[in-house]
Amino acid sequence: ALPTPGLLHALQAALVLLADHELAPSTLAARVAASARADPYAVVLTGLGVLGGPWHGGASYGAERLLAEVAEPRQATRAITDRLRRGEHVPGFGHSVYTNGDGRGGALLDLVQEAAPGHERIAAGTAVLAEMRRRRLPERNIDFALAILAAVSGMVSGAGEAIFAVARAAGWLAHAMEEYERGTLLRLRASYTGPSIA
């Protein structure tokens, strides 16, 4: 089925919302590569290498799997309980920068809800959100909103991570251009914090 104009607008918004986010791990890696005069292809490959981790761009895949387990809203409690019992992080929730919820995720989720009101995948996502709030667990982030966008749009598994990567590649290249102009090697320093050496 062809996507609706509303869902296309939500996808475009996701690309904008994800293009840059300060010095996130993948962006820092891409900047280091650019400062060493790596070509733009290598800069993007460097960023992609970091992005694929489950705590960064790959987090949306975990959120997609969580949402897929909630075939109907009443199953949200079980899906979250199972993860918590196993001592797992609930994917798509919590963020190291945003302790009260990721505004990007809220904006994207609003657009998806406007584009497909009453969609059963939105109902499942809303049930997951309600259960997380009932338990006073971390708020949703952009990865959870991406999972809902992908599910509502009928995208293939892993689409959220692909959207994240395409969007962030534009940001990495902008950071790379800054590093190329700067003309110095980005060299971070480390301090020894181990036992004293006699």
Side-chain angles (χ1 to χ4, degrees), residues 38-62:
D39 65 64
Y41 297 102
V43 168
V44 171
L45 283 173
T46 301
L48 287 172
V50 178
L51 188 82
W55 286 7
H56 194 22
S60 62
Y61 180 62

Short mmCIF file of all heavy atoms in Angstrom, two decimals, residues 38-62:
data_model
loop_
_atom_site.label_atom_id
_atom_site.label_comp_id
_atom_site.label_asym_id
_atom_site.label_seq_id
_atom_site.Cartn_x
_atom_site.Cartn_y
_atom_site.Cartn_z
N ALA A 38 39.98 11.63 7.10
CA ALA A 38 39.32 10.52 6.42
C ALA A 38 38.35 11.11 5.40
O ALA A 38 37.79 12.18 5.62
CB ALA A 38 38.56 9.66 7.43
N ASP A 39 38.18 10.41 4.27
CA ASP A 39 37.27 10.95 3.26
C ASP A 39 35.82 10.81 3.75
O ASP A 39 35.55 10.08 4.71
CB ASP A 39 37.47 10.25 1.91
CG ASP A 39 37.11 8.78 1.94
OD1 ASP A 39 35.92 8.46 2.17
OD2 ASP A 39 38.01 7.95 1.75
N PRO A 40 34.88 11.51 3.12
CA PRO A 40 33.49 11.50 3.60
C PRO A 40 32.87 10.10 3.69
O PRO A 40 32.07 9.83 4.59
CB PRO A 40 32.74 12.36 2.58
CG PRO A 40 33.79 13.30 2.06
CD PRO A 40 35.06 12.49 2.03
N TYR A 41 33.24 9.19 2.78
CA TYR A 41 32.71 7.83 2.85
C TYR A 41 33.18 7.14 4.12
O TYR A 41 32.41 6.47 4.81
CB TYR A 41 33.15 7.02 1.62
CG TYR A 41 32.62 7.56 0.33
CD1 TYR A 41 33.43 8.32 -0.52
CD2 TYR A 41 31.30 7.32 -0.05
CE1 TYR A 41 32.93 8.83 -1.71
CE2 TYR A 41 30.80 7.82 -1.25
CZ TYR A 41 31.62 8.57 -2.07
OH TYR A 41 31.12 9.07 -3.24
N ALA A 42 34.45 7.31 4.46
CA ALA A 42 34.99 6.71 5.68
C ALA A 42 34.38 7.34 6.92
O ALA A 42 34.17 6.67 7.93
CB ALA A 42 36.51 6.84 5.69
N VAL A 43 34.10 8.64 6.86
CA VAL A 43 33.45 9.31 8.00
C VAL A 43 32.09 8.67 8.25
O VAL A 43 31.75 8.34 9.40
CB VAL A 43 33.31 10.82 7.72
CG1 VAL A 43 32.39 11.48 8.74
CG2 VAL A 43 34.68 11.50 7.73
N VAL A 44 31.30 8.47 7.20
CA VAL A 44 29.98 7.86 7.36
C VAL A 44 30.11 6.42 7.84
O VAL A 44 29.37 5.98 8.73
CB VAL A 44 29.16 7.95 6.06
CG1 VAL A 44 27.87 7.14 6.14
CG2 VAL A 44 28.83 9.41 5.75
N LEU A 45 31.07 5.67 7.30
CA LEU A 45 31.27 4.29 7.75
C LEU A 45 31.66 4.24 9.23
O LEU A 45 31.21 3.35 9.96
CB LEU A 45 32.34 3.61 6.91
CG LEU A 45 31.89 3.15 5.52
CD1 LEU A 45 33.07 2.65 4.70
CD2 LEU A 45 30.84 2.07 5.64
N THR A 46 32.46 5.19 9.66
CA THR A 46 32.84 5.25 11.08
C THR A 46 31.61 5.48 11.94
O THR A 46 31.41 4.80 12.95
CB THR A 46 33.87 6.37 11.31
OG1 THR A 46 35.03 6.10 10.50
CG2 THR A 46 34.28 6.45 12.77
N GLY A 47 30.78 6.43 11.54
CA GLY A 47 29.55 6.68 12.28
C GLY A 47 28.64 5.47 12.30
O GLY A 47 28.06 5.13 13.34
N LEU A 48 28.51 4.78 11.17
CA LEU A 48 27.65 3.60 11.10
C LEU A 48 28.15 2.49 12.01
O LEU A 48 27.34 1.76 12.61
CB LEU A 48 27.57 3.08 9.65
CG LEU A 48 26.76 3.92 8.69
CD1 LEU A 48 26.93 3.39 7.26
CD2 LEU A 48 25.29 3.94 9.08
N GLY A 49 29.47 2.37 12.14
CA GLY A 49 30.03 1.34 13.02
C GLY A 49 29.58 1.51 14.45
O GLY A 49 29.32 0.54 15.17
N VAL A 50 29.47 2.75 14.89
CA VAL A 50 29.05 3.03 16.27
C VAL A 50 27.53 3.01 16.38
O VAL A 50 26.96 2.55 17.36
CB VAL A 50 29.61 4.39 16.73
CG1 VAL A 50 29.14 4.73 18.13
CG2 VAL A 50 31.13 4.39 16.67
N LEU A 51 26.86 3.49 15.36
CA LEU A 51 25.40 3.62 15.38
C LEU A 51 24.70 2.29 15.59
O LEU A 51 23.64 2.23 16.20
CB LEU A 51 24.92 4.25 14.07
CG LEU A 51 23.45 4.61 14.01
CD1 LEU A 51 23.23 5.94 14.70
CD2 LEU A 51 22.99 4.67 12.58
N GLY A 52 25.28 1.20 15.10
CA GLY A 52 24.62 -0.10 15.13
C GLY A 52 24.48 -0.71 16.51
O GLY A 52 23.78 -1.71 16.67
N GLY A 53 25.11 -0.13 17.52
CA GLY A 53 25.02 -0.70 18.86
C GLY A 53 23.61 -0.58 19.43
O GLY A 53 22.89 0.37 19.13
N PRO A 54 23.20 -1.54 20.28
CA PRO A 54 21.84 -1.52 20.82
C PRO A 54 21.56 -0.36 21.78
O PRO A 54 20.42 -0.13 22.14
CB PRO A 54 21.72 -2.87 21.54
CG PRO A 54 23.12 -3.25 21.85
CD PRO A 54 23.97 -2.69 20.75
N TRP A 55 22.57 0.38 22.17
CA TRP A 55 22.36 1.54 23.05
C TRP A 55 22.37 2.84 22.27
O TRP A 55 22.37 3.93 22.84
CB TRP A 55 23.40 1.60 24.15
CG TRP A 55 23.19 0.56 25.21
CD1 TRP A 55 22.28 -0.46 25.21
CD2 TRP A 55 23.92 0.45 26.43
NE1 TRP A 55 22.39 -1.20 26.35
CE2 TRP A 55 23.39 -0.66 27.13
CE3 TRP A 55 24.95 1.17 27.01
CZ2 TRP A 55 23.87 -1.06 28.36
CZ3 TRP A 55 25.43 0.77 28.23
CH2 TRP A 55 24.88 -0.33 28.90
N HIS A 56 22.42 2.75 20.95
CA HIS A 56 22.44 3.96 20.13
C HIS A 56 21.42 3.76 19.01
O HIS A 56 20.26 3.47 19.30
CB HIS A 56 23.87 4.21 19.62
CG HIS A 56 24.11 5.57 19.04
ND1 HIS A 56 23.34 6.66 19.32
CD2 HIS A 56 25.06 6.01 18.16
CE1 HIS A 56 23.80 7.72 18.66
NE2 HIS A 56 24.83 7.34 17.95
N GLY A 57 21.79 3.85 17.77
CA GLY A 57 20.83 3.75 16.67
C GLY A 57 20.12 2.42 16.60
O GLY A 57 18.99 2.33 16.13
N GLY A 58 20.78 1.36 17.06
CA GLY A 58 20.18 0.04 17.05
C GLY A 58 19.08 -0.14 18.08
O GLY A 58 18.40 -1.17 18.11
N ALA A 59 18.90 0.84 18.95
CA ALA A 59 17.87 0.74 19.99
C ALA A 59 16.47 0.67 19.40
O ALA A 59 15.56 0.09 20.00
CB ALA A 59 17.98 1.91 20.95
N SER A 60 16.28 1.25 18.23
CA SER A 60 14.94 1.24 17.64
C SER A 60 14.52 -0.18 17.26
O SER A 60 13.33 -0.51 17.29
CB SER A 60 14.86 2.16 16.43
OG SER A 60 15.75 1.74 15.43
N TYR A 61 15.49 -1.04 16.93
CA TYR A 61 15.16 -2.43 16.60
C TYR A 61 14.61 -3.15 17.83
O TYR A 61 13.63 -3.88 17.75
CB TYR A 61 16.38 -3.16 16.04
CG TYR A 61 16.10 -4.60 15.69
CD1 TYR A 61 15.16 -4.91 14.71
CD2 TYR A 61 16.75 -5.63 16.33
CE1 TYR A 61 14.89 -6.24 14.39
CE2 TYR A 61 16.48 -6.95 16.03
CZ TYR A 61 15.55 -7.25 15.05
OH TYR A 61 15.27 -8.56 14.75
N GLY A 62 15.21 -2.89 19.00
CA GLY A 62 14.69 -3.47 20.23
C GLY A 62 13.29 -2.97 20.52
O GLY A 62 12.42 -3.74 20.98
#
